[in-house]
């Protein structure tokens, strides 16, 4: 029995900051960002947007194309949690009106949590094929102003329906994983923004890929030549290129840069203009891969995709899936392209005004309306968050 991703859709914020504007503000060469880290834009969440509203927006088309009453669980992956006790998934469950006979939980381990939630969902369905699990990965990447991380912010959410006999991709049994206690990126409870040792994190990312790839080969017997497409966790686009070049070297494969780009460039397109979305990043890349070939009317049915998830701190996993016959009929390419194209550009002053809005940690606060919806964080009353659905 195949188990995997039956439907997948991503959402991002309605606003973006161009790295051209950012470079001008910082008196930096634009190529530092366009070439050096491979980024052009980053999505910016307004004050009335959080991971719950982003997640709900990501879920809407998935639920419209399926039967929400059959959802048996919601696995919500995030490192941008909205409560230290209550799962973001519980807020999402209520906002979407999902059935009460449903299990909900939140997953956290930096950017790896989305892959962890997906694998847990796949294993749950393998144990009980009647399960239909909504997996959500959603994050808002925030770093301190005037730090090296500021140019690598972004936000996004991905919703995946995990079922038996999936229509998009069957996740294959077996994977390679690696864990090590390191301090390359972290966010203490008292901070709203993350701390990162960028050079060290890149080193740990590449080391973790090496270890996870070795384990993947041992566990599955599959090698580089068995995989046609590759998706990586992308904190910034250039990181995926570094990772894939290392993997090519580890596999002992002789190929030129053009071949390398063919294997990874399609999965980088969306991240280049959305920015870092932490736990959602890998799956935004997967959507980018699918949509790139959909626009070319190229059928990838039967192709194997290799996916590498990395979460600082650190946990990493390399796994694979096979694209199913007829998967193209179930993509949300038009929605993805429209969201990106319809975003509004921010000036640096506008971005800073959004950034400097107080984080929603007061007992009572009402947020002005910044974005059109369909969901928004309306405010907090007596420390309780409340959300609004703004469109039918």
């Amino acid at each position: 029995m195949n188990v995997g991703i039956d439907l997948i859709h991503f959402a991002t914020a309605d606003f973006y900051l161009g790295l051209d504007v950012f470079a001008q503000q910082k008196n930096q060469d634009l190529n530092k960002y366009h070439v050096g880290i491979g980024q052009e834009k980053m999505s910016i969440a307004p004050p009335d947007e959080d991971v719950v509203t982003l997640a709900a927006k990501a879920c809407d088309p998935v639920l419209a194309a399926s039967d929400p009453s059959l959802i048996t669980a919601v696995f919500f992956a995030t490192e941008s949690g909205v409560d230290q006790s209550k799962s973001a998934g519980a807020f999402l469950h209520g906002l979407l009106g999902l059935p009460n006979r449903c299990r909900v939980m939140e997953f956290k381990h930096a950017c790896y949590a989305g892959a962890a939630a997906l694998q847990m969902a796949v294993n749950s369905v393998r144990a009980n094929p009647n399960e239909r699990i909504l997996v959500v990965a959603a994050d808002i990447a925030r770093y301190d102003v005037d730090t090296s991380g500021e140019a690598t912010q972004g936000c996004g959410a991905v919703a995946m329906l995990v079922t038996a006999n999936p229509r998009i991709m069957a996740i294959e049994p077996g994977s390679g994983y690696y864990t090590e206690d390191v301090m390359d990126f972290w966010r203490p409870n008292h901070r709203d923004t993350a701390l990162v040792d960028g050079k060290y994190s890149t080193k740990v990312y590449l080391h973790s890929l090496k270890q996870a790839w070795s384990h993947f080969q041992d566990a599955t017997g599959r090698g580089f030549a068995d995989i046609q497409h590759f998706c990586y966790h992308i904190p910034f686009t250039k990181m995926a290129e570094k990772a894939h070049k290392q993997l090519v070297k580890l596999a002992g494969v002789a190929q030129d840069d053009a071949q390398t780009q063919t294997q990874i460039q399609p999965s980088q397109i969306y991240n280049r203009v959305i920015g870092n979305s932490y736990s959602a990043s890998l799956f935004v890349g997967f959507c980018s891969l699918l949509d790139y070939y959909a626009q070319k009317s190229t059928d990838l049915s039967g192709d194997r995709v290799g996916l590498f998830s990395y979460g600082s701190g650190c946990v990493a996993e390399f796994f694979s899936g096979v694209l199913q016959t007829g998967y193209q009929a179930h993509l949300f390419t038009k929605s993805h392209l429209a969201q990106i194209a319809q975003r509004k550009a921010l000036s640096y002053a506008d971005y800073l005004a959004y950034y400097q809005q107080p984080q929603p940690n007061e007992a009572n606060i009402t947020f002005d309306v910044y974005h059109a919806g369909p969901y928004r964080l309306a405010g907090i009353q007596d420390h309780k968050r409340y959300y609004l659905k703004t469109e039918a």
Side-chain angles (χ1 to χ4, degrees):
M1 178 184 67
N2 285 334
V3 176
I5 300 171
D6 187 61
L7 293 169
I8 181 169
H9 177 259
F10 86 80
T12 191
D14 294 346
F15 305 94
Y16 75 88
L17 178 66
L19 270 296
D20 53 347
V21 173
F22 185 87
Q24 185 177 23
Q25 175 68 30
K26 304 294 181 180
N27 295 315
Q28 296 288 337
D29 184 345
L30 180 58
N31 284 334
K32 176 179 180 179
Y33 307 111
H34 280 193
V35 178
I37 61 174
Q39 294 301 124
E40 297 177 12
K41 300 174 182 178
M42 50 187 181
S43 286
I44 302 297
D48 60 342
E49 185 96 85
D50 67 4
V51 292
V52 175
T53 61
L54 284 169
K57 186 160 61 170
C59 289
D60 259 0
V62 171
L63 297 178
S66 58
D67 185 348
S69 70
L70 300 179
I71 299 294
T72 59
V74 177
F75 293 173
F76 197 123
T78 186
E79 58 180 289
S80 312
V82 298
D83 191 279
Q84 289 287 68
S85 181
K86 182 177 178 179
S87 165
F91 290 105
L92 178 66
H93 176 277
L95 193 56
L96 296 177
L98 295 176
N100 295 116
R101 290 187 175 182
C102 182
R103 290 168 293 169
V104 175
M105 65 184 74
E106 184 170 305
F107 288 74
K108 183 183 77 175
H109 186 97
C111 303
Y112 169 68
L118 174 61
Q119 291 286 29
M120 295 295 181
V122 167
N123 288 330
S124 294
V125 176
R126 284 200 180 112
N128 178 4
N130 293 321
E131 296 272 8
R132 294 174 64 85
I133 300 177
L134 187 61
V135 174
V136 178
D139 270 303
I140 297 173
R142 281 173 53 90
Y143 298 95
D144 287 337
V145 173
D146 294 328
T147 65
S148 60
E150 188 184 6
T152 63
Q153 298 178 110
C155 65
V158 175
M160 296 173 277
L161 182 62
V162 176
T163 69
N165 304 313
R167 291 174 285 181
I168 302 292
M169 184 169 73
I171 302 297
E172 297 184 290
S175 65
Y177 34 86
Y178 177 77
T179 294
E180 183 180 0
D181 181 7
V182 297
M183 294 297 289
D184 60 325
F185 171 105
W186 64 105
R187 183 169 69 86
N189 285 339
H190 65 275
R191 287 184 58 92
D192 296 325
T193 54
L195 300 168
V196 60
D197 184 338
K199 291 183 179 180
Y200 181 51
S201 191
T202 296
K203 180 179 178 181
V204 177
Y205 181 117
L206 295 174
H207 177 71
S208 299
L209 171 60
K210 178 180 179 180
Q211 299 301 320
W213 173 250
S214 176
H215 186 200
F216 174 80
Q217 291 179 291
D218 292 342
T220 68
R222 294 187 286 274
F224 189 91
D226 299 311
I227 301 171
Q228 287 73 51
H229 314 278
F230 294 83
C231 296
Y232 293 87
H233 164 57
I234 307 180
F236 53 91
T237 302
K238 207 72 172 183
M239 188 68 245
E241 295 179 20
K242 292 180 180 180
H244 196 60
K245 286 178 180 178
Q246 173 171 285
L247 190 63
V248 169
K249 184 177 180 181
L250 288 171
V253 176
Q255 65 180 39
D256 57 27
D257 284 344
Q259 291 172 299
T260 297
Q261 286 299 316
T262 297
Q263 290 171 339
I264 61 168
Q265 186 268 341
S267 68
Q268 297 175 312
I269 297 169
Y270 288 163
N271 292 81
R272 184 179 291 274
V273 295
I274 290 173
N276 194 357
S277 53
Y278 290 161
S279 64
S281 163
L282 172 63
F283 304 105
V284 171
F286 179 55
C287 290
S288 181
L289 168 72
L290 297 178
D291 292 348
Y292 173 83
Y293 285 107
Q295 293 176 85
K296 292 180 172 292
S297 299
T298 301
D299 185 3
L300 304 182
S301 296
D303 282 7
R304 178 174 284 117
V305 181
L307 302 102
F308 176 68
S309 177
Y310 173 77
S312 293
C314 70
V315 181
E317 184 167 0
F318 195 102
F319 60 103
S320 62
V322 176
L323 294 171
Q324 301 298 286
T325 300
Y327 75 92
Q328 310 100 306
H330 309 291
L331 301 181
F332 295 106
T333 305
K334 290 182 179 179
S335 172
H336 298 157
L337 295 173
Q339 285 185 72
I340 291 172
Q342 292 168 8
R343 291 176 303 167
K344 299 177 180 66
L346 297 175
S347 67
Y348 189 81
D350 290 336
Y351 147 73
L352 212 56
Y354 282 5
Y355 184 96
Q356 292 173 343
Q357 284 276 340
Q359 290 298 294
N361 53 15
E362 299 177 21
N364 295 284
I365 185 170
T366 299
F367 292 104
D368 292 335
V369 177
Y370 290 88
H371 69 104
Y375 303 94
R376 58 180 297 271
L377 173 62
I380 298 173
Q381 292 181 348
D382 298 326
H383 298 283
K384 301 172 185 176
R385 302 170 86 89
Y386 66 97
Y387 296 90
L388 293 176
K389 184 171 183 178
T390 58
E391 295 180 3

